[in-house]
Amino acid sequence: MEGKGNHNSNTFLEKSKPYIAMICLQFGYAGMNIVTKVSLNGGMSHYVLVVYRHAFATAVIAPFALVLERGIRPKMTFPIFLQIFVLGLLGPVIDQNFYYMGLKYTSPTFSCAMSNMLPAMTFVMAVICRMEKVDIKKLRCQAKVVGTIVTVAGAMLMTLYKGRVVNMFWSAHIHPAHTASAAAAAAADKDWAKGSILLILATLAWAAFFILQAITMRRYSAQLSLTTLVCFLGTLQSIAVTFVMEHKPSAWTIGWDMNLLAAAYSVINHFYPAFYIHIYLSIKRGPVFATAFSPLMMIIVAIMGSFILAEKIYVGGVIGAVVIVIGLYSVLWGKYKEYQEIEADQEIPEVIKGPNNNNFCNNERSGTISEDFELNDVESQKNVEASRVPNVVISSPMPQPPMLAMEAPRKGGQVA
């Protein structure tokens, strides 16, 4: 009896591991939003922050790429270099800068809520690029289309309507004066609409990044090497942008303070645990599993933001966030059904039985039949894979450093 109880507890623990890992990951993502907001409110330039973050990322990932992908790295050609150059421009430069500008003008909770539009925007771009087919007669396609419309409606609601402030029960004991930059936070509230537009543009750039990443992975499949190149080129491009936008040498100053933590946080938090956790869960649970936890990050950020930053939460933001989450889960449900269909189509029967329920492989003739069947099936699968446009795995709607976006396309993980 005792052994059975231990077995049940071990089984429960094994089944709970993916959920525990994703919840811990969402806390890590939420912490990055709060740390970045504090750093930006403290006066750090978001242009400089992008440079330092991707410089750190390049330094961390490059040794792994050199060692682990030695000898398997594809040959670099000029078209591939151009695609990697544009990836560096879309991810590190456009997406990150716009996202941090939007974060500075709004709030961490609002930014997280707007980032949940990523699967819907990626779906629209995939349809435009003919990487995703929409059969409106199928329920899963209807769910994705309706979810996209609902998500956009929620974003518009959050942008155009704020409403009254929602008072938490702990709000009376927290005062803006306790924060390091309450004046900067109050000034940022005046540019709410501007910040909303910047966040939408950042999400569009990140969706375009996923689409181009899928195309690039066809020719350059070395994940870590591709990540290193994107981070490196993104660093160079960000340096050029910073020199144009920031004319004060003091903007580059960084010490043992919150600015250094904000620059290094993404590498510490994202590369080591998140990279491998997302790959593992993409294999075990499918590409939709990780994305489904993104609304949890928004809730964590809202609670942490109200405590640490004395962030104000508005009725319009709450309603809009709920609408966005409903649209997000509608899109994810459609993707989940599509993933199930693809998995069912790719399953190969392990045993072929004859009319008398005897395995054909018990004699020579049946063994030949089985081998021919498997050979033909493998060849047909190769032909299908060769003609298929690579899929896109969306690991998280929160804009992340390119290291997470470089995950290899998984079986059945198409554009969400």
Side-chain angles (χ1 to χ4, degrees), residues 24 65 173:
C24 293
H173 306 286

Side-chain angles (χ1 to χ4, degrees), residues 13-91:
L13 184 62
E14 286 295 324
K15 291 182 179 180
S16 302
K17 280 182 179 179
Y19 299 93
I20 295 173
M22 285 308 307
I23 291 172
C24 293
L25 218 55
Q26 298 309 313
F27 273 98
Y29 292 155
M32 190 195 71
N33 275 271
I34 300 299
V35 169
T36 303
K37 178 67 173 178
V38 172
S39 178
L40 294 174
N41 286 350
M44 185 176 189
S45 169
H46 60 85
Y47 298 108
V48 176
L49 178 60
V50 171
V51 172
Y52 283 142
R53 275 197 166 171
H54 290 89
F56 285 155
T58 304
V60 171
I61 304 170
F64 291 93
L66 291 174
V67 174
L68 298 178
E69 295 182 340
R70 182 176 52 191
I72 63 173
R73 201 173 293 110
K75 181 181 179 181
M76 179 62 67
T77 61
F78 185 70
I80 294 177
F81 176 79
L82 285 181
Q83 290 178 357
I84 297 176
F85 183 86
V86 176
L87 283 173
L89 190 64
L90 286 172

Side-chain angles (χ1 to χ4, degrees), residues 273-342:
F275 184 80
Y276 295 105
I277 289 174
H278 275 282
I279 289 180
Y280 176 80
L281 293 179
S282 293
I283 297 172
K284 294 294 183 180
R285 294 301 184 97
V288 176
F289 181 80
T291 313
F293 283 81
S294 58
L296 177 61
M297 177 183 64
M298 181 176 62
I299 298 173
I300 297 171
V301 168
I303 297 174
M304 293 175 64
S306 63
F307 270 110
I308 300 174
L309 302 172
E311 177 188 340
K312 295 179 180 179
I313 301 175
Y314 298 93
V315 173
V318 173
I319 298 174
V322 171
V323 173
I324 289 177
V325 170
I326 292 173
L328 169 67
Y329 279 120
S330 178
V331 175
L332 292 180
W333 184 85
K335 272 320 296 177
Y336 175 71
K337 290 299 180 182
E338 181 179 0
Y339 177 75
Q340 283 186 323
E341 290 181 12
I342 294 174

Side-chain angles (χ1 to χ4, degrees), residues 64-131:
F64 291 93
L66 291 174
V67 174
L68 298 178
E69 295 182 340
R70 182 176 52 191
I72 63 173
R73 201 173 293 110
K75 181 181 179 181
M76 179 62 67
T77 61
F78 185 70
I80 294 177
F81 176 79
L82 285 181
Q83 290 178 357
I84 297 176
F85 183 86
V86 176
L87 283 173
L89 190 64
L90 286 172
V93 179
I94 298 177
D95 166 66
Q96 295 284 287
N97 278 296
F98 280 4
Y99 183 81
Y100 293 146
M101 289 171 65
L103 176 62
K104 185 176 181 179
Y105 289 135
T106 57
S107 69
T109 305
F110 186 88
S111 302
C112 290
M114 295 292 282
S115 297
N116 284 315
M117 295 176 60
L118 178 60
M121 288 188 174
T122 310
F123 168 70
V124 173
M125 285 193 173
V127 172
I128 295 174
C129 297
R130 297 183 179 180
M131 297 176 67

Side-chain angles (χ1 to χ4, degrees), residues 71-314:
I72 63 173
R73 201 173 293 110
K75 181 181 179 181
M76 179 62 67
T77 61
F78 185 70
I80 294 177
F81 176 79
L82 285 181
Q83 290 178 357
I84 297 176
F85 183 86
V86 176
L87 283 173
L89 190 64
L90 286 172
V93 179
I94 298 177
D95 166 66
Q96 295 284 287
N97 278 296
F98 280 4
Y99 183 81
Y100 293 146
M101 289 171 65
L103 176 62
K104 185 176 181 179
Y105 289 135
T106 57
S107 69
T109 305
F110 186 88
S111 302
C112 290
M114 295 292 282
S115 297
N116 284 315
M117 295 176 60
L118 178 60
M121 288 188 174
T122 310
F123 168 70
V124 173
M125 285 193 173
V127 172
I128 295 174
C129 297
R130 297 183 179 180
M131 297 176 67
E132 179 97 3
K133 293 182 180 179
V134 178
D135 186 356
I136 203 64
K137 296 180 180 179
K138 293 185 177 181
L139 184 60
R140 60 176 176 81
C141 292
Q142 295 173 4
K144 288 190 285 187
V145 172
V146 172
T148 301
I149 297 173
V150 171
T151 301
V152 174
M156 293 179 63
L157 179 62
M158 291 186 70
T159 303
L160 301 176
Y161 174 70
K162 292 180 70 173
R164 298 168 57 185
V165 176
V166 179
N167 293 318
M168 305 294 184
F169 66 88
W170 59 79
S171 301
H173 306 286
I174 301 175
H175 304 285
H178 293 170
T179 60
S181 52
D189 288 341
K190 300 177 182 178
D191 296 313
W192 202 265
K194 181 179 179 181
S196 302
I197 295 173
L198 290 170
L199 290 172
I200 292 173
L201 292 176
T203 309
L204 282 171
W206 197 239
F209 181 94
F210 276 112
I211 299 299
L212 183 58
Q213 167 209 293
I215 298 172
T216 306
M217 288 292 289
R218 294 183 66 184
R219 299 181 178 179
Y220 202 90
S221 57
Q223 304 168 41
L224 292 175
S225 298
L226 183 57
T227 302
T228 303
L229 291 171
V230 171
C231 288
F232 177 69
L233 291 178
T235 302
L236 297 181
Q237 294 167 356
S238 298
I239 291 174
V241 172
T242 305
F243 277 138
V244 174
M245 303 302 295
E246 292 288 348
H247 304 289
K248 297 180 180 179
S250 59
W252 294 89
T253 304
I254 189 171
W256 295 95
D257 52 13
M258 186 63 69
N259 294 342
L260 178 62
L261 178 61
Y265 191 103
S266 61
V267 180
I268 297 171
N269 180 64
H270 291 143
F271 177 67
Y272 286 106
F275 184 80
Y276 295 105
I277 289 174
H278 275 282
I279 289 180
Y280 176 80
L281 293 179
S282 293
I283 297 172
K284 294 294 183 180
R285 294 301 184 97
V288 176
F289 181 80
T291 313
F293 283 81
S294 58
L296 177 61
M297 177 183 64
M298 181 176 62
I299 298 173
I300 297 171
V301 168
I303 297 174
M304 293 175 64
S306 63
F307 270 110
I308 300 174
L309 302 172
E311 177 188 340
K312 295 179 180 179
I313 301 175
Y314 298 93

